[in-house]
């Protein structure tokens, strides 16, 4: 269920909690460096590995299916409210609109390590603060000039957490 907590470990395991993190269980996916995990509204879980693979479970981790293999490590997975899946793999973006059964590849973009999606369907990336308004096809630099590790959204305001502090971006601000 969507209230479960999933985590990938650097030593190649996926763990989950069904009780708000009070207890943790290992699941059947092992021996891969899981860098990103995301769930959709169907309670399907997708895991991306630094060994260039994307896995899907439709039975809450009892079994996993390899749904995509690429040439570069999987940095992040984001799933929108329509269950479209967006994956960043260095300078490539992988997109699936059919629950991971098929994928299209967008190449030639900037190096993207992490992605976040706000409620307006705008993508944000930590590679020096970039934003995409067209489903990861093009990216525009919005700042700050240091590497962004996380984003938080309050309405249209974007907060970027960096090694140099927290920065605020307001897309409605006009100087």
């Amino acid at each position: 269920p969507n209230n479960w907590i999933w985590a990938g470990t650097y030593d190649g395991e996926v763990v989950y909690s069904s009780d708000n993190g009070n207890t943790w269980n290992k699941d059947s996916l092992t021996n891969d460096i899981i860098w990103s995990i995301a769930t959709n509204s169907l309670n399907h879980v997708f895991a991306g590995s630094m060994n260039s693979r994307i896995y899907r479970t439709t039975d809450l981790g009892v079994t996993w299916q390899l749904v995509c293999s690429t040439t570069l490590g999987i940095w992040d997975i984001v799933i929108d409210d329509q269950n479209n899946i967006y994956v960043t793999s260095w300078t490539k973006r992988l997109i699936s609109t059919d629950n991971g059964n098929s994928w299209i590849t967008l190449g030639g973009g900037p190096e993207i390590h992490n992605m976040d999606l706000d409620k307006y369907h705008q993508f944000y990336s930590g590679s020096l603060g970039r934003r995409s308004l067209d489903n990861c096809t093009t990216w525009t630099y919005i700042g700050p000039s240091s590497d962004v590790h996380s984003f938080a959204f309050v309405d249209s305001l974007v907060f970027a957490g960096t090694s140099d502090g927290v920065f605020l971006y307001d897309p409605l601000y006009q100087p």
Side-chain angles (χ1 to χ4, degrees), residues 18-39:
S18 60
D19 60 5
N20 297 313
N22 290 314
T23 61
W24 291 87
N25 301 295
K26 293 180 185 179
D27 80 351
S28 63
L29 184 60
T30 60
N31 300 321
D32 214 335
I33 301 170
I34 303 301
W35 207 260
S36 58
I37 296 180
T39 60

Side-chain angles (χ1 to χ4, degrees), residues 14-15 20 30 35 43 46-47 59 103 105-106 109 112 118 141-142 144 150 154:
V14 172
V15 295
N20 297 313
T30 60
W35 207 260
N43 291 327
F46 294 83
D59 55 13
W103 298 85
T105 301
L106 303 175
I112 303 289
D118 72 7
Y141 171 77
I142 60 168
S150 62
V154 177

Side-chain angles (χ1 to χ4, degrees), residues 5-76:
I5 303 168
W6 293 84
T9 67
Y10 193 73
D11 60 348
E13 295 179 343
V14 172
V15 295
Y16 65 90
S17 174
S18 60
D19 60 5
N20 297 313
N22 290 314
T23 61
W24 291 87
N25 301 295
K26 293 180 185 179
D27 80 351
S28 63
L29 184 60
T30 60
N31 300 321
D32 214 335
I33 301 170
I34 303 301
W35 207 260
S36 58
I37 296 180
T39 60
N40 66 15
S41 64
L42 304 171
N43 291 327
H44 297 171
V45 181
F46 294 83
S49 80
M50 288 312 270
N51 294 326
S52 310
R53 294 184 283 266
I54 303 170
Y55 300 94
R56 174 185 62 206
T57 180
T58 59
D59 55 13
L60 298 174
V62 175
T63 61
W64 290 85
Q65 174 188 12
L66 178 66
V67 294
C68 184
S69 183
T70 184
T71 58
L72 300 169
I74 305 300
W75 279 94
D76 208 352

